[in-house]
Amino acid sequence: MIIDSHQHFWNYEPVKHEWIDDSMSVIRKDFIPGDLKEVYAENGIDGCVAVQADQTLVETDFLLDLASKNDFIKGVVGWIDLRADNLETVLETYKAYEKLKGFRHVVQGEKDSNFLLRSNFLRGISILEKHNYTYDILVFPHQLGAVLEFVKRFPNQKFVIDHIAKPYIKDGFYDGWAVLMKEIGKHKNVYCKLSGMITEADFNTWTPAQIHPYMNLILEVFGTERIMFGSDWPVCLVAGNYKRVKALITEFIAKMSITEQNAIMGNNAIKFYSLK
């Protein structure tokens, strides 16, 4: 199965989705399962993991509702307040939802560079681990030092880094990001999504050749068994289309064995998120 490990749905609201600035105006509209189903039919995708875009329990419930009505949504990465005193109680209310696989916090938007290392957040991750949920790490490169310390503390928690930690491809910055990703990748419980890369390059002029050095580093560090394809649809539409995003990955891995290609394009996501 080909699984898109990272995409979003939303009913567009200007205030809620204020992060969609003028340069991304093409995605200032609703994106619902019917839209994506057509895209998947055109591109040979069998299923997906829907990831939160808004930091509310309403968002988590919205995605779970969509997943209950659409078989191709195989898993949901929702949001929950990991710092809350009543986290255990809230998690109990979600136990019945088999498609809820894990959670994410938009750490890239936090002003505190060490947000991940604060005691209340660490406590929340320890509770996630106890309940066997995954955690998606969404950060910018300047936060990778904290990520390294963070993953060291939880050797048994399943982590995945979204969008290869959003390196500054447009500016050509590489070395600082690469050094820290190499260290983080030594921790075998950490996976990485080959996703969100074209939107870190120049929206209009990016080429696969510009992105390949970053992809090569991720392959070297995480190996074919810990990386997974993700489209970041519909965000990817600001810099291309689904076909180009998929081709960026499939052409990059074309010389690998069929087993390795299948791992990256679906089997690793199935394993990581325990998809059915």
Side-chain angles (χ1 to χ4, degrees), residues 226-242:
R226 287 190 289 139
I227 56 180
M228 53 183 100
F229 157 70
S231 69
D232 200 24
W233 181 95
V235 181
C236 65
L237 301 179
V238 305
N241 58 42
Y242 202 98

Side-chain angles (χ1 to χ4, degrees), residues 152-165:
K152 278 182 181 177
R153 293 173 186 241
F154 299 99
N156 300 311
Q157 168 65 38
K158 290 165 79 174
F159 292 116
V160 60
I161 297 177
D162 292 345
H163 313 326
I164 69 170

Side-chain angles (χ1 to χ4, degrees), residues 113-246:
S113 294
N114 292 315
F115 177 88
L116 288 169
L117 301 176
R118 301 309 175 194
S119 59
N120 54 359
F121 197 82
L122 294 174
R123 173 184 166 272
I125 295 295
S126 68
I127 291 170
L128 281 196
E129 181 181 324
K130 188 168 74 174
H131 290 272
N132 203 30
Y133 285 111
T134 64
Y135 181 74
D136 272 54
I137 299 172
L138 177 65
V139 291
F140 286 128
H142 74 269
Q143 296 165 311
L144 285 174
V147 172
L148 178 58
E149 298 297 329
F150 178 64
V151 300
K152 278 182 181 177
R153 293 173 186 241
F154 299 99
N156 300 311
Q157 168 65 38
K158 290 165 79 174
F159 292 116
V160 60
I161 297 177
D162 292 345
H163 313 326
I164 69 170
K166 310 191 94 168
Y168 307 117
I169 299 171
K170 183 178 180 180
D171 297 315
F173 298 159
Y174 175 87
D175 291 343
W177 165 84
V179 166
L180 283 164
M181 289 298 277
K182 284 179 181 177
E183 290 303 311
I184 291 164
K186 290 177 182 177
H187 299 271
K188 299 303 182 184
N189 57 318
V190 184
Y191 286 58
C192 189
K193 292 181 183 179
L194 287 172
S195 62
M197 296 176 290
I198 67 171
T199 45
E200 297 309 316
D202 187 285
F203 290 173
N204 301 308
T205 63
W206 69 270
T207 65
Q210 290 173 323
I211 300 174
H212 282 169
Y214 300 88
M215 297 172 74
N216 280 324
L217 187 280
I218 295 302
L219 178 62
E220 172 195 332
V221 169
F222 292 91
T224 57
E225 69 280 1
R226 287 190 289 139
I227 56 180
M228 53 183 100
F229 157 70
S231 69
D232 200 24
W233 181 95
V235 181
C236 65
L237 301 179
V238 305
N241 58 42
Y242 202 98
K243 185 177 181 181
R244 288 183 73 194
V245 171
K246 185 187 176 191

Side-chain angles (χ1 to χ4, degrees), residues 3 48-49 74-76 101 266 269-276:
I3 300 293
C48 66
V49 176
K74 305 295 184 185
V76 166
K101 302 301 181 180
I270 291 169
K271 176 185 172 186
F272 180 83
Y273 286 116
S274 303
L275 305 180
K276 294 181 180 178

Side-chain angles (χ1 to χ4, degrees), residues 24-124:
M24 305 168 77
S25 59
V26 68
I27 59 171
R28 282 178 170 161
K29 61 179 185 176
D30 296 353
F31 289 94
I32 58 175
D35 303 323
L36 188 57
K37 202 168 185 178
E38 288 182 20
V39 171
Y40 281 176
E42 293 166 5
N43 289 277
I45 308 295
D46 298 303
C48 66
V49 176
V51 180
Q52 63 83 221
D54 186 44
Q55 302 203 117
T56 62
L57 292 178
V58 171
E59 171 85 344
T60 304
D61 295 342
F62 165 68
L63 294 177
L64 288 171
D65 181 59
L66 295 181
S68 72
K69 297 169 181 173
N70 296 273
D71 288 343
F72 76 92
I73 304 173
K74 305 295 184 185
V76 166
V77 173
W79 180 88
I80 197 168
D81 187 356
L82 292 167
R83 298 167 293 174
D85 292 336
N86 68 338
L87 177 59
E88 290 260 22
T89 305
V90 179
L91 279 176
E92 284 293 326
T93 68
Y94 283 110
K95 265 194 169 177
Y97 295 92
E98 194 178 350
K99 285 190 176 181
L100 182 59
K101 302 301 181 180
F103 296 94
R104 183 176 85 155
H105 187 90
V106 184
V107 177
Q108 70 173 34
E110 296 291 344
K111 292 177 182 176
D112 179 1
S113 294
N114 292 315
F115 177 88
L116 288 169
L117 301 176
R118 301 309 175 194
S119 59
N120 54 359
F121 197 82
L122 294 174
R123 173 184 166 272

Side-chain angles (χ1 to χ4, degrees), residues 1-3 229 246 249-250 253 261-267:
M1 292 182 76
I2 297 182
I3 300 293
F229 157 70
K246 185 187 176 191
I249 311 298
T250 56
I253 66 175
Q261 291 182 52
N262 288 343
I264 292 166
M265 295 304 294
N267 288 345

